Amino acid sequence: MSAHDHDSPNLQPTTPKRPTATGSPHTPYRPNSNSDGHRDAEPLSQDRKKAEMFDELYGNFAQSESIIQHIFRGTRKNPQELKKFDKDLDQAMDALINALPQRSEPEPRHYKPLVDLLNRTVEAYNKATNSNRSIFFHVYDKTMGDTINKEHPLKPDILGLLVNVMPNKPLWCDVHWGGEVKSTLVDLMSQAATYARSMFGADDTRLFAPVFVYQHSKQELRVVFFHRGGATSTTPYTLSDRDQLRKFAKDLYVMLESESSSGRDPSRDTRFLCLTKDLLLQIEDVICRRLYIRGSATFVATVKKVPRSIMQKPDARAVPDPPPINRPLRSGVVLGNRVTRSQTKQANAKTEESPAEVQSPPTSRRSERLRDKVLKTNVENKISGKLPAKTPEAASTDTDIDAAMRKSPVVKDDGIEKAFKTLIPLRPAGSISNRDLDALPETFVLKHSWVSSDRTDKTVFGESAGEMGIPDVYLEVVPDKNERYKNTEDFFPSDSEALQGFGELTRDPKISVYTFAGKCRPLEDAKSPKELIEGIAHAILGHNVIWKREWLHRDVSLGNIMLLPECVLRKRHELWNQGLDDKSGKTYCIGIISDGDHAVRWKREASEPRAKQRSGTLPYISRRLLIAWYETLDISSVHLAADDLESFAWTLLFAVLEITKERGIKWTAAEGRWYRDMSDTTTLYDMWTRKHAIIVRLKELIDIDRNNPTAPSFSPIISHFAPLLDEWFDLASTWASKARRFQSTNIPLQDIESFDEECYQSCVALILRYLPNIPDTWPDVPLASGS
């Protein structure tokens, strides 16, 4: 499953002119130049990221007068407290309005008056409800303490933080509510979207991300809720108008009353998922995660069942039970304790000889994410009988979110107990039987994504269980229809309308789905070049299996091809004659195609193509589709199996480049350029030209090697795959040429079927021809330090 994804950009022309359409990249991590000679793509500028966010949310940006009352419906409203609140705020209203700068004043002049207004409203709420001030707004306007993918750090103008979070340099996971001030609405919303993306990226438990935005040229404030269906804004509150200011204050009152105001999922935290009241799952290792706002937002991790004996009997060395992390105050805001560096250092200074005396502060979201992967968890220490190791100092604030999230969190027994007590079990549609729970192995893969209810993994892969290249799907949990925030339609009240300047409103309903599947490995973990190519070949066979059942995958990428822990026997496929077992007549399988979130019924797609959106992960989309979408904005072009087969070739190239890097082997100049070209988020046309240049240069280097074999043009690993890739891309060019006849919508289905079947046969035959020459071991090159 790839690490980034959303439906391909809506390519409908608009007025005013949209930023250039972009697609979704695979998880390319973007560190700076390394000592081993690898230099990744340049970090995205803030303007570039804003353009991407505008494009991603185009056609999915709504405004609604009732959005706050709708999503926080059912919150407590005490008439007496409301009366006190109104009276207190009325006394300060004239001063707050008079403090607002003129609309033409420079942007920074508006920060403090706006923050004062927000904090005064919170103060009035706290007085009326007799609660502690739990949220405090700060004028920030400096870089945050972390970034995503080493991108240029963002500088939010305003941050709403819990009072126990120091505002000197917070992390995105610390942000309760974001804030921004700009003069134009499009610029304001695009900038706010970059903050929401970081809030989602820093905290996988977020169901939505609230951002306060102020258009100072009109003195209009909005609250925007970014969610997996796009974004929904309140109608503007004109702060210079007493009635409008009073309306905003009452809406903020409702947000402060809600336990869900930060948008976090009460059934999980960064370490655990509470499936039922009797089953807690511990997240061991994050396999992949997608960081865009709109779309499936896929999160995949290896999880294990937490033994009930550990949940009920915490270790004697555990921290004394603090108040529950998710306890609601009168304000309804979730509060937790946060570890400071000085506290961690003090804890480290304690000796292992007196473990019972170590009063480690309760872990926070911040510290959970930045722990070192090599440490053993306290749960493991308990089972093995070892004393707990010293806790390392929290990582530097200048960190990369993705790199941190790839590290397994250190979990203490007290953390398990707190999670068991405070997390709210999922509320699935229909009961989860004990038989289903018992069928789950102790360790398996958890996938969480937002998908159409008719396009879940169980639907796409379920009928093909036991066949080549198909994942084992154990259980699927979909939300109850009444569960809040688990359906994107919940963020579009009946009075929703398109936000001007962001296109006609299109809604693609998605629900939050948990899928439990068999354990697997990333493609980059292949034990040999042969296992790598066999894994991809078996995934192609799985792709063909679901295609025969009328499902077209449409999102082949590096993260969506997985390797099984060991070879397993599967039903023989007629295109594959390798790895046969004489006794069973079955075939050994090592690779699978996964993540059916974007699969469609291709026969229906061919006759009635979707008019608004396309799917794919940009670096892997076929050249035919890239140029068709760009040149003519022709999003009605039929997506063929042949397009996905070309995507497998790009996946192989990117996987080989990644493996070369991970094994400490220096790229050639051409290979480094290919990696950066594929990693960099770019336009459809730029990606098409880059792919064309890669193919041309690949062919040139093969010819050079053929004429001068003593001076190889490729690094050791890529040299084994270059000839195969060259022929594969030639095949794809032939497929694209033949596919021109499928541009219209009135296409005989039998023509498409016979064409795609021919493409499958030629692709698998090509791999089988090269397979005997692919080595069984990686080149004997020492791994780089830390690999």
Side-chain angles (χ1 to χ4, degrees), residues 314-320 355-356 358 378 381-382 385-388 413:
D315 194 289
R317 297 185 297 269
V319 181
V358 178
N378 278 11
N381 289 334
K382 174 179 179 178
K386 299 178 181 179
L387 292 174
D413 287 352

PDB file of all heavy atoms in Angstrom, residues 314-320 355-356 358 378 381-382 385-388 413:
ATOM      1  N   PRO A 314      -0.946  -5.024  35.693  1.00  0.00           N
ATOM      2  CA  PRO A 314       0.245  -4.271  35.298  1.00  0.00           C
ATOM      3  C   PRO A 314       1.426  -4.587  36.196  1.00  0.00           C
ATOM      4  O   PRO A 314       1.268  -4.962  37.350  1.00  0.00           O
ATOM      5  CB  PRO A 314      -0.194  -2.814  35.451  1.00  0.00           C
ATOM      6  CG  PRO A 314      -1.332  -2.860  36.417  1.00  0.00           C
ATOM      7  CD  PRO A 314      -2.012  -4.180  36.184  1.00  0.00           C
ATOM      8  N   ASP A 315       2.612  -4.414  35.640  1.00  0.00           N
ATOM      9  CA  ASP A 315       3.842  -4.689  36.371  1.00  0.00           C
ATOM     10  C   ASP A 315       3.920  -3.817  37.627  1.00  0.00           C
ATOM     11  O   ASP A 315       3.488  -2.678  37.638  1.00  0.00           O
ATOM     12  CB  ASP A 315       5.042  -4.394  35.453  1.00  0.00           C
ATOM     13  CG  ASP A 315       6.324  -4.971  36.004  1.00  0.00           C
ATOM     14  OD1 ASP A 315       6.804  -4.438  37.002  1.00  0.00           O
ATOM     15  OD2 ASP A 315       6.828  -5.943  35.413  1.00  0.00           O
ATOM     16  N   ALA A 316       4.502  -4.374  38.705  1.00  0.00           N
ATOM     17  CA  ALA A 316       4.623  -3.618  39.949  1.00  0.00           C
ATOM     18  C   ALA A 316       5.497  -2.385  39.773  1.00  0.00           C
ATOM     19  O   ALA A 316       5.409  -1.433  40.549  1.00  0.00           O
ATOM     20  CB  ALA A 316       5.219  -4.518  41.030  1.00  0.00           C
ATOM     21  N   ARG A 317       6.353  -2.407  38.741  1.00  0.00           N
ATOM     22  CA  ARG A 317       7.236  -1.260  38.515  1.00  0.00           C
ATOM     23  C   ARG A 317       6.542  -0.143  37.759  1.00  0.00           C
ATOM     24  O   ARG A 317       7.127   0.895  37.510  1.00  0.00           O
ATOM     25  CB  ARG A 317       8.459  -1.714  37.712  1.00  0.00           C
ATOM     26  CG  ARG A 317       9.322  -2.726  38.413  1.00  0.00           C
ATOM     27  CD  ARG A 317      10.555  -3.015  37.576  1.00  0.00           C
ATOM     28  NE  ARG A 317      10.229  -3.616  36.293  1.00  0.00           N
ATOM     29  CZ  ARG A 317      10.157  -4.922  36.099  1.00  0.00           C
ATOM     30  NH1 ARG A 317      10.349  -5.743  37.097  1.00  0.00           N
ATOM     31  NH2 ARG A 317       9.886  -5.407  34.899  1.00  0.00           N
ATOM     32  N   ALA A 318       5.311  -0.375  37.323  1.00  0.00           N
ATOM     33  CA  ALA A 318       4.630   0.616  36.482  1.00  0.00           C
ATOM     34  C   ALA A 318       4.351   1.891  37.264  1.00  0.00           C
ATOM     35  O   ALA A 318       4.296   1.914  38.481  1.00  0.00           O
ATOM     36  CB  ALA A 318       3.314   0.044  35.959  1.00  0.00           C
ATOM     37  N   VAL A 319       4.164   2.950  36.525  1.00  0.00           N
ATOM     38  CA  VAL A 319       3.845   4.238  37.130  1.00  0.00           C
ATOM     39  C   VAL A 319       2.492   4.151  37.825  1.00  0.00           C
ATOM     40  O   VAL A 319       1.565   3.540  37.308  1.00  0.00           O
ATOM     41  CB  VAL A 319       3.781   5.320  36.026  1.00  0.00           C
ATOM     42  CG1 VAL A 319       3.482   6.682  36.642  1.00  0.00           C
ATOM     43  CG2 VAL A 319       5.092   5.354  35.287  1.00  0.00           C
ATOM     44  N   PRO A 320       2.348   4.743  38.997  1.00  0.00           N
ATOM     45  CA  PRO A 320       1.026   4.752  39.631  1.00  0.00           C
ATOM     46  C   PRO A 320      -0.013   5.348  38.695  1.00  0.00           C
ATOM     47  O   PRO A 320       0.269   6.278  37.952  1.00  0.00           O
ATOM     48  CB  PRO A 320       1.246   5.652  40.867  1.00  0.00           C
ATOM     49  CG  PRO A 320       2.707   5.564  41.137  1.00  0.00           C
ATOM     50  CD  PRO A 320       3.379   5.398  39.810  1.00  0.00           C
ATOM     51  N   PRO A 355      14.137   0.318  40.342  1.00  0.00           N
ATOM     52  CA  PRO A 355      13.114   0.610  39.343  1.00  0.00           C
ATOM     53  C   PRO A 355      11.811   1.080  39.941  1.00  0.00           C
ATOM     54  O   PRO A 355      11.082   1.841  39.330  1.00  0.00           O
ATOM     55  CB  PRO A 355      12.934  -0.732  38.626  1.00  0.00           C
ATOM     56  CG  PRO A 355      13.407  -1.759  39.607  1.00  0.00           C
ATOM     57  CD  PRO A 355      14.490  -1.097  40.383  1.00  0.00           C
ATOM     58  N   ALA A 356      11.495   0.655  41.142  1.00  0.00           N
ATOM     59  CA  ALA A 356      10.214   1.048  41.725  1.00  0.00           C
ATOM     60  C   ALA A 356      10.186   2.528  42.078  1.00  0.00           C
ATOM     61  O   ALA A 356       9.131   3.104  42.250  1.00  0.00           O
ATOM     62  CB  ALA A 356       9.935   0.224  42.979  1.00  0.00           C
ATOM     63  N   VAL A 358      11.466   4.944  40.224  1.00  0.00           N
ATOM     64  CA  VAL A 358      11.443   5.784  39.036  1.00  0.00           C
ATOM     65  C   VAL A 358      10.017   6.217  38.759  1.00  0.00           C
ATOM     66  O   VAL A 358       9.169   5.411  38.431  1.00  0.00           O
ATOM     67  CB  VAL A 358      12.017   5.028  37.810  1.00  0.00           C
ATOM     68  CG1 VAL A 358      11.922   5.920  36.576  1.00  0.00           C
ATOM     69  CG2 VAL A 358      13.452   4.624  38.078  1.00  0.00           C
ATOM     70  N   ASN A 378       8.290  -2.516  27.585  1.00  0.00           N
ATOM     71  CA  ASN A 378       8.170  -3.050  28.942  1.00  0.00           C
ATOM     72  C   ASN A 378       7.352  -4.329  28.976  1.00  0.00           C
ATOM     73  O   ASN A 378       7.529  -5.169  29.842  1.00  0.00           O
ATOM     74  CB  ASN A 378       7.520  -2.012  29.861  1.00  0.00           C
ATOM     75  CG  ASN A 378       8.538  -1.002  30.366  1.00  0.00           C
ATOM     76  OD1 ASN A 378       9.665  -0.969  29.865  1.00  0.00           O
ATOM     77  ND2 ASN A 378       8.162  -0.201  31.326  1.00  0.00           N
ATOM     78  N   ASN A 381       9.779  -6.927  28.241  1.00  0.00           N
ATOM     79  CA  ASN A 381      10.636  -7.116  29.411  1.00  0.00           C
ATOM     80  C   ASN A 381       9.924  -7.907  30.492  1.00  0.00           C
ATOM     81  O   ASN A 381      10.523  -8.733  31.185  1.00  0.00           O
ATOM     82  CB  ASN A 381      11.058  -5.749  29.975  1.00  0.00           C
ATOM     83  CG  ASN A 381      12.052  -5.058  29.063  1.00  0.00           C
ATOM     84  OD1 ASN A 381      12.776  -5.716  28.330  1.00  0.00           O
ATOM     85  ND2 ASN A 381      12.067  -3.731  29.094  1.00  0.00           N
ATOM     86  N   LYS A 382       8.637  -7.641  30.638  1.00  0.00           N
ATOM     87  CA  LYS A 382       7.883  -8.364  31.653  1.00  0.00           C
ATOM     88  C   LYS A 382       7.832  -9.849  31.345  1.00  0.00           C
ATOM     89  O   LYS A 382       8.035 -10.707  32.204  1.00  0.00           O
ATOM     90  CB  LYS A 382       6.467  -7.793  31.754  1.00  0.00           C
ATOM     91  CG  LYS A 382       5.578  -8.573  32.689  1.00  0.00           C
ATOM     92  CD  LYS A 382       4.200  -7.952  32.759  1.00  0.00           C
ATOM     93  CE  LYS A 382       3.321  -8.786  33.692  1.00  0.00           C
ATOM     94  NZ  LYS A 382       1.993  -8.211  33.836  1.00  0.00           N
ATOM     95  N   GLY A 385      11.206 -11.329  31.858  1.00  0.00           N
ATOM     96  CA  GLY A 385      11.716 -11.250  33.220  1.00  0.00           C
ATOM     97  C   GLY A 385      12.828 -10.248  33.406  1.00  0.00           C
ATOM     98  O   GLY A 385      13.416 -10.145  34.482  1.00  0.00           O
ATOM     99  N   LYS A 386      13.128  -9.453  32.368  1.00  0.00           N
ATOM    100  CA  LYS A 386      14.201  -8.471  32.464  1.00  0.00           C
ATOM    101  C   LYS A 386      13.683  -7.181  33.078  1.00  0.00           C
ATOM    102  O   LYS A 386      12.516  -6.860  33.005  1.00  0.00           O
ATOM    103  CB  LYS A 386      14.782  -8.180  31.085  1.00  0.00           C
ATOM    104  CG  LYS A 386      15.395  -9.387  30.410  1.00  0.00           C
ATOM    105  CD  LYS A 386      15.890  -9.007  29.021  1.00  0.00           C
ATOM    106  CE  LYS A 386      16.487 -10.205  28.308  1.00  0.00           C
ATOM    107  NZ  LYS A 386      16.941  -9.862  26.955  1.00  0.00           N
ATOM    108  N   LEU A 387      14.621  -6.419  33.661  1.00  0.00           N
ATOM    109  CA  LEU A 387      14.255  -5.098  34.159  1.00  0.00           C
ATOM    110  C   LEU A 387      14.105  -4.149  32.987  1.00  0.00           C
ATOM    111  O   LEU A 387      14.739  -4.325  31.960  1.00  0.00           O
ATOM    112  CB  LEU A 387      15.340  -4.582  35.117  1.00  0.00           C
ATOM    113  CG  LEU A 387      15.459  -5.328  36.441  1.00  0.00           C
ATOM    114  CD1 LEU A 387      16.659  -4.787  37.202  1.00  0.00           C
ATOM    115  CD2 LEU A 387      14.193  -5.194  37.263  1.00  0.00           C
ATOM    116  N   PRO A 388      13.287  -3.120  33.132  1.00  0.00           N
ATOM    117  CA  PRO A 388      13.123  -2.170  32.032  1.00  0.00           C
ATOM    118  C   PRO A 388      14.390  -1.384  31.784  1.00  0.00           C
ATOM    119  O   PRO A 388      15.100  -1.007  32.716  1.00  0.00           O
ATOM    120  CB  PRO A 388      11.987  -1.267  32.509  1.00  0.00           C
ATOM    121  CG  PRO A 388      12.001  -1.387  33.999  1.00  0.00           C
ATOM    122  CD  PRO A 388      12.449  -2.790  34.297  1.00  0.00           C
ATOM    123  N   ASP A 413       3.830  -1.106  30.510  1.00  0.00           N
ATOM    124  CA  ASP A 413       2.633  -1.800  30.991  1.00  0.00           C
ATOM    125  C   ASP A 413       1.580  -0.814  31.471  1.00  0.00           C
ATOM    126  O   ASP A 413       0.383  -1.025  31.300  1.00  0.00           O
ATOM    127  CB  ASP A 413       3.013  -2.747  32.131  1.00  0.00           C
ATOM    128  CG  ASP A 413       3.773  -3.958  31.609  1.00  0.00           C
ATOM    129  OD1 ASP A 413       3.841  -4.094  30.373  1.00  0.00           O
ATOM    130  OD2 ASP A 413       4.277  -4.741  32.419  1.00  0.00           O
TER     131      ASP A 413
END
